[in-house]
Amino acid sequence: MKKFLHEFKEFALRGNVFDMAVGVIIGGSFGKITTSLVNDVFMPFLSLITGSVDFTQWKLVLKAGNEAADISEVALNYGNFIATVIDFLLIALVVFLMVKGMNVLHRRREAPAPEPEAPKAPTTEELLTEIRDLLKEQK
């Protein structure tokens, strides 16, 4: 048991676990931001376009409720579902853009440095001129 606790302590105190915890907390906050964006910004515009007062209240009633008899309504809340799908799509888009950006940064970091240009080889005329000059010097 002591060994197990020691291994767990090493695992929990490793930097990656803390980084992951920070990511989860920030991700939860980001989820709240996108939910608010969907519910408070996009849905009112969508409701305005469709003529509905509150888009998230759209539903298909399967069984009507009766408050006097204390029977609750059974309904498919497809307006909430559509809002949740839009919320998911926004989060997926942002995550996709973040991953794409990170891939670009990794490619830039891992790209090999450009090789220096090889020295330019002399032309045939330059070589012939050099040979001629060397022959003149030998005479």
Side-chain angles (χ1 to χ4, degrees), residues 29-47:
S29 298
F30 181 74
K32 289 179 183 179
I33 290 170
T34 55
T35 300
S36 175
L37 178 69
V38 169
N39 293 337
D40 300 332
V41 177
F42 289 140
M43 287 306 160
F45 282 118
L46 194 54
S47 295

PDB file of all heavy atoms in Angstrom, residues 29-47:
ATOM      1  N   SER A  29     -14.437  26.831 -18.249  1.00  0.00           N
ATOM      2  CA  SER A  29     -14.787  28.253 -18.367  1.00  0.00           C
ATOM      3  C   SER A  29     -15.078  28.617 -19.809  1.00  0.00           C
ATOM      4  O   SER A  29     -16.006  29.387 -20.091  1.00  0.00           O
ATOM      5  CB  SER A  29     -13.654  29.122 -17.833  1.00  0.00           C
ATOM      6  OG  SER A  29     -13.445  28.863 -16.474  1.00  0.00           O
ATOM      7  N   PHE A  30     -14.297  28.080 -20.720  1.00  0.00           N
ATOM      8  CA  PHE A  30     -14.521  28.354 -22.142  1.00  0.00           C
ATOM      9  C   PHE A  30     -15.872  27.810 -22.576  1.00  0.00           C
ATOM     10  O   PHE A  30     -16.574  28.439 -23.359  1.00  0.00           O
ATOM     11  CB  PHE A  30     -13.393  27.749 -22.976  1.00  0.00           C
ATOM     12  CG  PHE A  30     -13.545  27.999 -24.439  1.00  0.00           C
ATOM     13  CD1 PHE A  30     -13.298  29.250 -24.961  1.00  0.00           C
ATOM     14  CD2 PHE A  30     -13.948  26.982 -25.291  1.00  0.00           C
ATOM     15  CE1 PHE A  30     -13.444  29.491 -26.309  1.00  0.00           C
ATOM     16  CE2 PHE A  30     -14.100  27.217 -26.639  1.00  0.00           C
ATOM     17  CZ  PHE A  30     -13.839  28.478 -27.154  1.00  0.00           C
ATOM     18  N   GLY A  31     -16.255  26.655 -22.036  1.00  0.00           N
ATOM     19  CA  GLY A  31     -17.565  26.093 -22.340  1.00  0.00           C
ATOM     20  C   GLY A  31     -18.687  27.008 -21.888  1.00  0.00           C
ATOM     21  O   GLY A  31     -19.681  27.187 -22.581  1.00  0.00           O
ATOM     22  N   LYS A  32     -18.518  27.619 -20.726  1.00  0.00           N
ATOM     23  CA  LYS A  32     -19.532  28.561 -20.235  1.00  0.00           C
ATOM     24  C   LYS A  32     -19.611  29.788 -21.139  1.00  0.00           C
ATOM     25  O   LYS A  32     -20.700  30.298 -21.397  1.00  0.00           O
ATOM     26  CB  LYS A  32     -19.204  28.985 -18.808  1.00  0.00           C
ATOM     27  CG  LYS A  32     -19.416  27.886 -17.792  1.00  0.00           C
ATOM     28  CD  LYS A  32     -19.058  28.354 -16.401  1.00  0.00           C
ATOM     29  CE  LYS A  32     -19.197  27.223 -15.401  1.00  0.00           C
ATOM     30  NZ  LYS A  32     -18.841  27.651 -14.052  1.00  0.00           N
ATOM     31  N   ILE A  33     -18.460  30.246 -21.609  1.00  0.00           N
ATOM     32  CA  ILE A  33     -18.440  31.421 -22.493  1.00  0.00           C
ATOM     33  C   ILE A  33     -19.168  31.109 -23.791  1.00  0.00           C
ATOM     34  O   ILE A  33     -19.987  31.902 -24.265  1.00  0.00           O
ATOM     35  CB  ILE A  33     -16.988  31.874 -22.767  1.00  0.00           C
ATOM     36  CG1 ILE A  33     -16.389  32.473 -21.502  1.00  0.00           C
ATOM     37  CG2 ILE A  33     -16.932  32.878 -23.906  1.00  0.00           C
ATOM     38  CD1 ILE A  33     -14.901  32.726 -21.588  1.00  0.00           C
ATOM     39  N   THR A  34     -18.881  29.952 -24.392  1.00  0.00           N
ATOM     40  CA  THR A  34     -19.546  29.623 -25.656  1.00  0.00           C
ATOM     41  C   THR A  34     -21.036  29.367 -25.455  1.00  0.00           C
ATOM     42  O   THR A  34     -21.842  29.730 -26.305  1.00  0.00           O
ATOM     43  CB  THR A  34     -18.904  28.399 -26.337  1.00  0.00           C
ATOM     44  OG1 THR A  34     -18.902  27.306 -25.439  1.00  0.00           O
ATOM     45  CG2 THR A  34     -17.501  28.703 -26.802  1.00  0.00           C
ATOM     46  N   THR A  35     -21.406  28.778 -24.323  1.00  0.00           N
ATOM     47  CA  THR A  35     -22.832  28.581 -24.045  1.00  0.00           C
ATOM     48  C   THR A  35     -23.529  29.930 -23.943  1.00  0.00           C
ATOM     49  O   THR A  35     -24.621  30.114 -24.485  1.00  0.00           O
ATOM     50  CB  THR A  35     -23.018  27.771 -22.747  1.00  0.00           C
ATOM     51  OG1 THR A  35     -22.387  26.498 -22.916  1.00  0.00           O
ATOM     52  CG2 THR A  35     -24.478  27.577 -22.424  1.00  0.00           C
ATOM     53  N   SER A  36     -22.898  30.864 -23.267  1.00  0.00           N
ATOM     54  CA  SER A  36     -23.478  32.201 -23.170  1.00  0.00           C
ATOM     55  C   SER A  36     -23.543  32.868 -24.536  1.00  0.00           C
ATOM     56  O   SER A  36     -24.542  33.529 -24.867  1.00  0.00           O
ATOM     57  CB  SER A  36     -22.653  33.067 -22.212  1.00  0.00           C
ATOM     58  OG  SER A  36     -23.138  34.382 -22.195  1.00  0.00           O
ATOM     59  N   LEU A  37     -22.513  32.688 -25.340  1.00  0.00           N
ATOM     60  CA  LEU A  37     -22.508  33.264 -26.681  1.00  0.00           C
ATOM     61  C   LEU A  37     -23.670  32.713 -27.505  1.00  0.00           C
ATOM     62  O   LEU A  37     -24.384  33.457 -28.177  1.00  0.00           O
ATOM     63  CB  LEU A  37     -21.174  32.977 -27.380  1.00  0.00           C
ATOM     64  CG  LEU A  37     -21.022  33.473 -28.806  1.00  0.00           C
ATOM     65  CD1 LEU A  37     -20.966  35.000 -28.824  1.00  0.00           C
ATOM     66  CD2 LEU A  37     -19.766  32.897 -29.431  1.00  0.00           C
ATOM     67  N   VAL A  38     -23.873  31.414 -27.417  1.00  0.00           N
ATOM     68  CA  VAL A  38     -24.966  30.795 -28.168  1.00  0.00           C
ATOM     69  C   VAL A  38     -26.319  31.268 -27.638  1.00  0.00           C
ATOM     70  O   VAL A  38     -27.174  31.723 -28.400  1.00  0.00           O
ATOM     71  CB  VAL A  38     -24.867  29.254 -28.110  1.00  0.00           C
ATOM     72  CG1 VAL A  38     -26.135  28.606 -28.641  1.00  0.00           C
ATOM     73  CG2 VAL A  38     -23.666  28.779 -28.906  1.00  0.00           C
ATOM     74  N   ASN A  39     -26.509  31.165 -26.320  1.00  0.00           N
ATOM     75  CA  ASN A  39     -27.820  31.479 -25.739  1.00  0.00           C
ATOM     76  C   ASN A  39     -28.146  32.966 -25.753  1.00  0.00           C
ATOM     77  O   ASN A  39     -29.304  33.342 -25.924  1.00  0.00           O
ATOM     78  CB  ASN A  39     -27.901  30.951 -24.306  1.00  0.00           C
ATOM     79  CG  ASN A  39     -27.894  29.442 -24.248  1.00  0.00           C
ATOM     80  OD1 ASN A  39     -28.245  28.778 -25.219  1.00  0.00           O
ATOM     81  ND2 ASN A  39     -27.481  28.896 -23.131  1.00  0.00           N
ATOM     82  N   ASP A  40     -27.134  33.807 -25.553  1.00  0.00           N
ATOM     83  CA  ASP A  40     -27.396  35.233 -25.380  1.00  0.00           C
ATOM     84  C   ASP A  40     -27.158  36.070 -26.637  1.00  0.00           C
ATOM     85  O   ASP A  40     -27.598  37.216 -26.701  1.00  0.00           O
ATOM     86  CB  ASP A  40     -26.537  35.788 -24.242  1.00  0.00           C
ATOM     87  CG  ASP A  40     -26.822  35.084 -22.920  1.00  0.00           C
ATOM     88  OD1 ASP A  40     -27.953  34.612 -22.748  1.00  0.00           O
ATOM     89  OD2 ASP A  40     -25.912  35.008 -22.074  1.00  0.00           O
ATOM     90  N   VAL A  41     -26.432  35.518 -27.620  1.00  0.00           N
ATOM     91  CA  VAL A  41     -26.142  36.291 -28.830  1.00  0.00           C
ATOM     92  C   VAL A  41     -26.752  35.638 -30.070  1.00  0.00           C
ATOM     93  O   VAL A  41     -27.525  36.266 -30.792  1.00  0.00           O
ATOM     94  CB  VAL A  41     -24.618  36.483 -29.021  1.00  0.00           C
ATOM     95  CG1 VAL A  41     -24.318  37.219 -30.299  1.00  0.00           C
ATOM     96  CG2 VAL A  41     -24.031  37.233 -27.819  1.00  0.00           C
ATOM     97  N   PHE A  42     -26.419  34.370 -30.324  1.00  0.00           N
ATOM     98  CA  PHE A  42     -26.882  33.729 -31.549  1.00  0.00           C
ATOM     99  C   PHE A  42     -28.375  33.402 -31.525  1.00  0.00           C
ATOM    100  O   PHE A  42     -29.076  33.630 -32.501  1.00  0.00           O
ATOM    101  CB  PHE A  42     -26.094  32.449 -31.841  1.00  0.00           C
ATOM    102  CG  PHE A  42     -24.684  32.694 -32.281  1.00  0.00           C
ATOM    103  CD1 PHE A  42     -23.651  31.883 -31.841  1.00  0.00           C
ATOM    104  CD2 PHE A  42     -24.378  33.728 -33.138  1.00  0.00           C
ATOM    105  CE1 PHE A  42     -22.350  32.110 -32.239  1.00  0.00           C
ATOM    106  CE2 PHE A  42     -23.082  33.965 -33.544  1.00  0.00           C
ATOM    107  CZ  PHE A  42     -22.066  33.155 -33.092  1.00  0.00           C
ATOM    108  N   MET A  43     -28.848  32.842 -30.420  1.00  0.00           N
ATOM    109  CA  MET A  43     -30.242  32.416 -30.366  1.00  0.00           C
ATOM    110  C   MET A  43     -31.224  33.578 -30.516  1.00  0.00           C
ATOM    111  O   MET A  43     -32.238  33.423 -31.197  1.00  0.00           O
ATOM    112  CB  MET A  43     -30.522  31.634 -29.081  1.00  0.00           C
ATOM    113  CG  MET A  43     -29.916  30.264 -29.108  1.00  0.00           C
ATOM    114  SD  MET A  43     -30.438  29.351 -30.578  1.00  0.00           S
ATOM    115  CE  MET A  43     -29.202  28.127 -30.656  1.00  0.00           C
ATOM    116  N   PRO A  44     -30.991  34.747 -29.905  1.00  0.00           N
ATOM    117  CA  PRO A  44     -31.928  35.854 -30.151  1.00  0.00           C
ATOM    118  C   PRO A  44     -32.008  36.242 -31.629  1.00  0.00           C
ATOM    119  O   PRO A  44     -33.095  36.523 -32.139  1.00  0.00           O
ATOM    120  CB  PRO A  44     -31.368  36.994 -29.298  1.00  0.00           C
ATOM    121  CG  PRO A  44     -30.661  36.309 -28.187  1.00  0.00           C
ATOM    122  CD  PRO A  44     -30.066  35.086 -28.819  1.00  0.00           C
ATOM    123  N   PHE A  45     -30.860  36.249 -32.325  1.00  0.00           N
ATOM    124  CA  PHE A  45     -30.889  36.544 -33.760  1.00  0.00           C
ATOM    125  C   PHE A  45     -31.650  35.470 -34.521  1.00  0.00           C
ATOM    126  O   PHE A  45     -32.449  35.763 -35.409  1.00  0.00           O
ATOM    127  CB  PHE A  45     -29.469  36.686 -34.329  1.00  0.00           C
ATOM    128  CG  PHE A  45     -28.836  37.993 -34.017  1.00  0.00           C
ATOM    129  CD1 PHE A  45     -27.672  38.045 -33.261  1.00  0.00           C
ATOM    130  CD2 PHE A  45     -29.384  39.182 -34.482  1.00  0.00           C
ATOM    131  CE1 PHE A  45     -27.084  39.258 -32.977  1.00  0.00           C
ATOM    132  CE2 PHE A  45     -28.796  40.398 -34.202  1.00  0.00           C
ATOM    133  CZ  PHE A  45     -27.650  40.442 -33.440  1.00  0.00           C
ATOM    134  N   LEU A  46     -31.418  34.218 -34.181  1.00  0.00           N
ATOM    135  CA  LEU A  46     -32.111  33.124 -34.835  1.00  0.00           C
ATOM    136  C   LEU A  46     -33.612  33.193 -34.547  1.00  0.00           C
ATOM    137  O   LEU A  46     -34.435  32.957 -35.438  1.00  0.00           O
ATOM    138  CB  LEU A  46     -31.534  31.782 -34.380  1.00  0.00           C
ATOM    139  CG  LEU A  46     -31.889  30.555 -35.185  1.00  0.00           C
ATOM    140  CD1 LEU A  46     -31.553  30.747 -36.658  1.00  0.00           C
ATOM    141  CD2 LEU A  46     -31.171  29.342 -34.653  1.00  0.00           C
ATOM    142  N   SER A  47     -33.975  33.537 -33.324  1.00  0.00           N
ATOM    143  CA  SER A  47     -35.382  33.697 -32.973  1.00  0.00           C
ATOM    144  C   SER A  47     -36.009  34.854 -33.739  1.00  0.00           C
ATOM    145  O   SER A  47     -37.169  34.779 -34.154  1.00  0.00           O
ATOM    146  CB  SER A  47     -35.532  33.931 -31.468  1.00  0.00           C
ATOM    147  OG  SER A  47     -35.113  32.797 -30.765  1.00  0.00           O
TER     148      SER A  47
END
